Amino acid sequence: MTSDFPQGTAFGVTLRSLRRTARLTLEELAGISGVSVRALGDMERGRSRGPQRRTVEALADALKLDTEQRGRLRRLADAGRERGGAPPPPYLLRTVPDFTGREEELAALAALAAAPARTRGVVLFGPGGQGKTTLAAEAARRLAGHFPDGCVSVQLHGMSESPVPAAEALVLLLTALGHPPDRIPVDIAAREAVYRAALAGRRVLVVLDDDADEAHTRPLLPDAPGCFALVTGRRPLAGLEGVQRIRLGGLSTRESATLLERILGTGRTAGQSDAIGRLTGLCGHLPLALRIVGNRLSSRPTWTPDRLAGQLADEERRLSGLVAGDLAVRSAFALSYRQLTGPRRLLLRRLALTPGRDTGPELAAVLVEGDPIAVEDSLDQLVDRGLLEETALGRYALHDLVRLFAREQLAQEDPPELTEAARLRMADWLLRSASAAGRPFEAPGAPEPWPGGTPAFHPESREDAEHWLTAERAHWAGALEILAEAGEHEHILHVSRTLYWFSDRWSEWPEWRLLFAQGARSAAALGDRAAEAHQLNCLAWAHSVGAAQYTRAEQHARRALELATEGGDVEQQAWSWAYLTGSLMGQGRPAEAVPAIEHALRLFENLGDPMGTAVAARQHASALREAGRPEEALTLHRAQLGIPSGDVPDVGEYIQALLQHEIAADLLALDRWTEAAAAYRAIMTPRTHRGIERFRANILTGLATALEHLGELPEARERYEQAHRLYMSVGDTASATGTRTSLARLAQE
């Protein structure tokens, strides 16, 4: 391999690099600057070593160089005319005065640079717009003390259509190291040998910015003891030997806000914390997007952060709004996108259809009708290109702004009918798979999923099924609306029925409110009043047990009762009374709850339903306690311990835990503090029901209350604090307010 020019000069190589950065051909630069194509070619090839000042100024104007770049080009031309002494470095990294964050990465770089013998360098990699070059520049500034012989750097334009060849990069590096340009060999192997000889005995930091691949990088990595390389790029360059790798992600919420505050100044951000928070979220904490937002606001003194946040809130306009001068988020993503093969571009576009954030290879394969193993390889390649993030083993996520970019490309490149077919295929597969995964948790005889073109996921065990339903819950929940729009209401009811008992294991998932609300709408669309009553009862449960939204739960239970009564469905009438009881208890209306649950209990007993009877009997005793009859409640609750409650897997264990909790609450209501504390400590939360943070918080609150009355204040305070955190985590603000009040009371004692 040889260079495009026989002998490089610092001016010529720098001019060529600047032209590439501006994405201009020789002919285009000649047309803009008025300098002939032949003269430009002579300059880039080193035949013209020191052009006149007016020529340099014309080129600088045409290339739109800033003051620093213009000055550097002048100095290189002056040095070429003088023919003496080593010219200054041809390309230097520029730091920014408002650099923010990355302290963890900088600390890691400092530790590695302090002992360069153990590693040749570090690859700083990550998606476009994460500020890799800015971090490298800041690191070079901070690490200057480790490298007394200086820092040399070169911009390799690895993501452009014409990366700077290693041969040209070696000319830039050798020139920066003071090697006479006219003594640089033509042969790349000889040129690399001269480069390594120039580094020998020195302690130099070499920055290789925007690298393309391993072959591009390997000739430029220093191997002299005491030298160290910082390589930036979008790929981890896994094939390089002797380097460490640091992946850059977005800034933290606090760092994002701080960056905007430093760009704008406190005068523009004071009292604007909410708007600044919205802006950082809309930017996805991407440094490039944050800088664009800051620059846009800086250039418009009358604009407020709130106004710009309002503009960017529109997803259809967001990428177009994230542009400031020559900075554009869309362009950063397009560089990586253009380097993908056609099938991988299609995969990226189709991933924008997924309802959830992170995706497994099976779902991705459904979108492109491919083999999951091959698709997983493509997903890994998209990670390497910085267009996907691997959030966990085998899970891949689009950054919010990359998703918008992929959605734009999908609209521009794919026929609408193919996109809609892929969307329906995905939704159908997700809901058939959810049905298959829900069956192991149902009573015997649960229906099989409906047939489909793509084989559904079939779990090998209950653990496998639960893992899939948990990992894919945002996807299958999002697929409900897609299938409903397609009129597949029977399928939606099928999914609801096969996830009925699984929902009890994770009662606080918000997805249950989506599922049962859509189930009720689908039943209504089909004119199936019995199914609608059942779905509304499930929805009442989801609002009451899952979200402590008792008023809404009461509305759904009463509507279900109307439908079930009209249709003569005694079973759903019984469940309506039971769910109505729970909503009344939650609203502090036990006097109304007692007759409601007594009605439910009679109906369940007449039906011979052991599960419903167990639920209603427990609720009946609880309603009596809240109505001022705790002795009766305690007797009834204790009598129910150990009574079988049906053949649904794992539900009996949960019901027994609920009974233990009610007994502890009965003792608390009777002021039997020591017994109550012991009862709360003895509750065994079911291993099978994991999403029950509110239940755990209730136990902690009851225990704290008993301990407070026993005078064991330190532990009482600790339990109230634990309960408060759990209530906040599930959004139960009313209960959280109660624990906060208790903590304030303890603080005064």
Side-chain angles (χ1 to χ4, degrees), residues 516-712:
F516 297 132
Q518 185 57 64
R521 288 192 292 270
S522 289
L526 293 169
D528 189 338
R529 307 296 286 274
E532 187 179 358
H534 178 234
Q535 294 297 304
L536 286 169
N537 273 329
C538 293
L539 187 57
W541 167 86
H543 279 288
S544 180
V545 175
Q549 297 171 351
Y550 300 113
T551 302
R552 297 189 68 180
E554 180 184 359
Q555 294 168 353
H556 294 308
R558 290 193 183 280
R559 177 56 181 157
L561 181 59
E562 290 176 13
L563 292 173
T565 302
E566 290 171 8
D569 188 335
V570 178
E571 180 184 13
Q572 290 308 313
Q573 289 178 50
W575 282 112
S576 297
W577 284 112
Y579 292 132
L580 181 59
T581 299
S583 67
L584 293 170
M585 294 277 285
Q587 296 176 74
R589 296 155 63 187
E592 298 173 66
V594 171
I597 197 58
E598 287 174 347
H599 199 154
L601 185 56
R602 285 194 298 272
L603 292 176
F604 281 127
E605 288 174 341
N606 292 337
L607 288 167
D609 183 340
M611 176 69 67
T613 300
V615 170
R618 175 177 54 79
Q619 284 186 295
H620 180 224
S622 302
L624 290 173
R625 180 188 66 235
E626 298 304 314
R629 298 156 65 181
E631 285 284 4
E632 292 179 63
L634 179 61
T635 300
L636 291 173
H637 277 140
R638 282 178 167 169
Q640 295 165 39
L641 285 171
I643 296 177
S645 53
D647 58 354
V648 178
D650 304 327
V651 173
E653 181 184 353
Y654 184 39
I655 287 180
Q656 292 302 305
L658 292 174
L659 272 173
Q660 290 176 317
H661 175 262
E662 296 297 350
I663 289 169
D666 296 338
L667 292 167
L668 202 66
L670 290 164
D671 296 346
R672 291 157 65 172
W673 313 120
T674 301
E675 293 176 77
Y680 277 117
R681 292 188 194 278
I683 297 172
M684 300 292 293
T685 54
R687 294 163 295 175
T688 55
H689 288 62
R690 297 179 179 87
I692 51 175
E693 278 70 20
R694 185 177 291 104
F695 179 54
R696 293 189 175 93
N698 290 340
I699 293 171
L700 289 165
T701 301
L703 176 58
T705 304
L707 291 169
E708 182 181 356
H709 282 89
L710 291 169
E712 299 179 26

Side-chain angles (χ1 to χ4, degrees), residues 482-515:
I482 299 172
L483 234 55
E485 290 173 353
E488 301 289 352
H489 299 299
E490 288 282 5
H491 292 163
I492 289 171
L493 289 176
H494 179 112
V495 173
S496 177
R497 290 173 184 136
T498 50
L499 290 178
Y500 178 77
W501 283 112
F502 179 78
S503 66
D504 210 46
R505 298 168 71 90
W506 295 89
S507 58
E508 290 165 359
W509 281 3
E511 285 78 10
W512 304 129
R513 300 194 289 280
L514 292 174
L515 173 62

